[in-house]
Amino acid sequence: MKFLISGCLLFLLFACGNNSEFRDEAVLIRVPARFPAVKYPQDNEPSKLRILLGRKLFYDNRLSAEDNLNCGSCHVLSAAFTDGRATSIGMHGFSGRRNAPTLANLAWSPRLMMEGGVPSLETQVLAPLHDSLEMGTNMMVAVDKLNADSEMRSLAEAAYGRDSIDPFVITRALAAFQRTFMSGDSRYDRYKQGMTTELNENEIRGMELFFSERTTCGSCHPDVFMTDHSYYNVGLYEEYVDHGKERATGKPEDIGKFKTPTLRNIALTAPYMHNGSIWSLEEVVTFFNSGGHSHANKDPRVRPLNLNEQEQKDLVAFLQSLTDWNFVQNKQLLPLVK
């Protein structure tokens, strides 16, 4: 299979070497074709050692209370950084509140969490770190454990000019690594770049239907990111246990609204919805074809679509074309081999 250089994530391979000889340098991260440039925070522009430190922290069990969980426990690369569960399993085997979302293309996400309650990727880690149903620890406890590691201290100094691991280093390094999770090389992307043989007839029909006024799927899942980064109630329930965006705003009109998920790699990220209550793409299409349940906050675009069986199959076929196999097999996003 021919790879598109513009669609690949490029940054340098490197090894730890001697702890006293860490040398940092800027890296070039090429964004996928058709994607806009990334706006990096001034205090966290990408560098070789910032990404390395973030990679090590992402898979470090010391960020959990009992040293048995890490970010990768609930965000597995082969599943596009989801975990295949309805809701993730955290400390003491407790089930979390929500389905683990994909981490693809977070570099462009204006707010984090399904209710949009976190303003930046740098602050996002604080939520799972302190959640008793997730990693169940305290930032300063994690700091103490990591500072006992001389290699981690050396990396922190070389990458961020700090003489030890501290909350600034942990939050920035994790964000630096996660901003490299770029996915934009699916067969659909190649089709959009002029490789017209990448999609078959069923997939093309599904694509046209997806972006049509008849379904309006593309109004919430527009081209490129396949999400508008906004929040909607899709009528999943008549009564919501999880109030979604209302948790962040306190406004009753936001009950049942959740952040529009990206559909990139959607065939790999089952189950679906904020609580993982729908287990297949076919069921998702059936749900939206039905128009969902009645709720005062339901978006008016969620209505009966009256799609026939073949049209529903075509939509599923299109959604399956959004898988970026290069992304989910990128070894530079896996734990470092010791």
Side-chain angles (χ1 to χ4, degrees):
M1 182 178 292
K2 183 177 180 181
F3 299 113
L4 297 179
I5 296 300
S6 60
C8 294
L9 171 66
L10 301 180
F11 53 87
L12 299 178
L13 290 171
F14 41 82
C16 290
N18 189 311
N19 290 352
S20 64
E21 297 179 353
F22 285 127
R23 293 183 181 180
D24 205 7
E25 59 187 67
V27 294
L28 172 64
I29 300 176
R30 294 183 183 270
V31 304
R34 305 190 304 122
F35 279 46
V38 177
K39 296 179 181 179
Y40 295 101
Q42 290 185 351
D43 65 356
N44 203 23
E45 293 180 342
S47 73
K48 180 180 73 172
L49 294 186
R50 289 176 177 182
I51 293 169
L52 171 60
L53 181 55
R55 183 178 180 181
K56 291 171 72 68
L57 287 169
F58 190 86
Y59 294 106
D60 197 319
N61 285 351
R62 290 173 292 190
L63 289 182
S64 65
E66 297 184 348
D67 296 343
N68 62 343
L69 295 172
N70 58 64
C71 303
S73 300
C74 299
H75 298 283
V76 182
L77 175 60
S78 60
F81 286 115
T82 63
D83 66 358
R85 299 177 181 273
T87 57
S88 299
I89 303 299
M91 290 302 301
H92 311 299
F94 293 150
S95 181
R97 299 176 181 86
R98 292 175 176 169
N99 181 250
T102 179
L103 304 183
N105 299 326
L106 290 183
W108 292 274
S109 185
R111 298 190 70 85
L112 287 303
M113 311 301 279
M114 291 184 181
E115 75 281 354
V118 175
S120 73
L121 197 49
E122 275 70 18
T123 55
Q124 186 276 331
V125 66
L126 299 175
L129 194 73
H130 293 95
D131 193 325
S132 61
L133 297 182
E134 296 190 49
M135 301 178 86
T137 190
N138 177 281
M139 173 62 82
M140 298 316 297
V141 171
V143 163
D144 288 342
K145 289 189 287 187
L146 291 165
N147 271 315
D149 186 328
S150 61
E151 181 182 281
M152 297 296 276
R153 292 198 310 272
S154 296
L155 269 173
E157 182 176 2
Y160 288 101
R162 322 286 276 205
D163 59 5
S164 64
I165 293 284
D166 61 18
F168 180 94
V169 169
I170 292 174
T171 57
R172 266 62 181 183
L174 280 169
F177 178 52
Q178 289 178 88
R179 285 196 179 95
T180 69
F181 298 179
M182 296 182 182
S183 178
D185 188 27
S186 66
R187 289 190 295 110
Y188 165 70
D189 293 296
R190 298 175 188 184
Y191 178 88
K192 293 291 288 186
Q193 294 171 60
M195 301 181 186
T196 55
T197 59
E198 287 288 340
L199 298 187
N200 61 37
E201 292 182 0
N202 298 70
E203 293 162 342
I204 292 173
R205 287 198 306 267
M207 176 188 68
E208 292 172 346
L209 189 59
F210 184 91
F211 291 111
S212 71
E213 292 185 3
R214 182 179 171 195
T215 67
T216 68
C217 301
S219 62
C220 296
H221 300 280
D223 185 27
V224 181
F225 293 121
M226 301 304 289
T227 173
D228 62 358
H229 302 293
S230 193
Y231 309 84
Y232 304 105
N233 180 322
V234 298
L236 185 59
Y237 298 110
E238 293 183 2
E239 296 288 339
Y240 284 82
V241 174
D242 185 339
H243 283 191
K245 190 171 177 59
E246 188 267 348
R247 291 178 59 185
T249 67
K251 298 178 179 179
E253 60 266 32
D254 286 335
I255 292 175
K257 291 183 179 180
F258 293 89
K259 187 177 182 180
T260 306
T262 178
L263 298 186
R264 288 191 169 277
N265 304 297
I266 194 69
L268 304 179
T269 62
Y272 308 106
M273 303 304 189
H274 70 274
N275 57 357
S277 58
I278 299 182
W279 283 87
S280 72
L281 286 178
E282 288 79 6
E283 291 175 275
V284 171
V285 170
T286 297
F287 168 78
F288 282 103
N289 192 43
S290 74
H293 299 288
S294 297
H295 192 280
N297 297 338
K298 187 174 77 169
D299 191 278
R301 289 169 293 184
V302 182
R303 67 199 190 286
L305 300 177
N306 300 313
L307 302 177
N308 62 38
E309 183 177 348
Q310 183 59 55
E311 289 171 325
Q312 293 180 62
K313 289 181 178 179
D314 291 343
L315 274 179
V316 171
F318 169 64
L319 294 173
Q320 291 171 335
S321 78
L322 299 175
T323 302
D324 179 351
W325 291 107
N326 290 326
F327 171 63
V328 299
Q329 298 178 90
N330 186 344
K331 294 182 180 180
Q332 293 178 350
L333 303 181
L334 291 171
L336 287 161
V337 178
K338 296 182 180 180

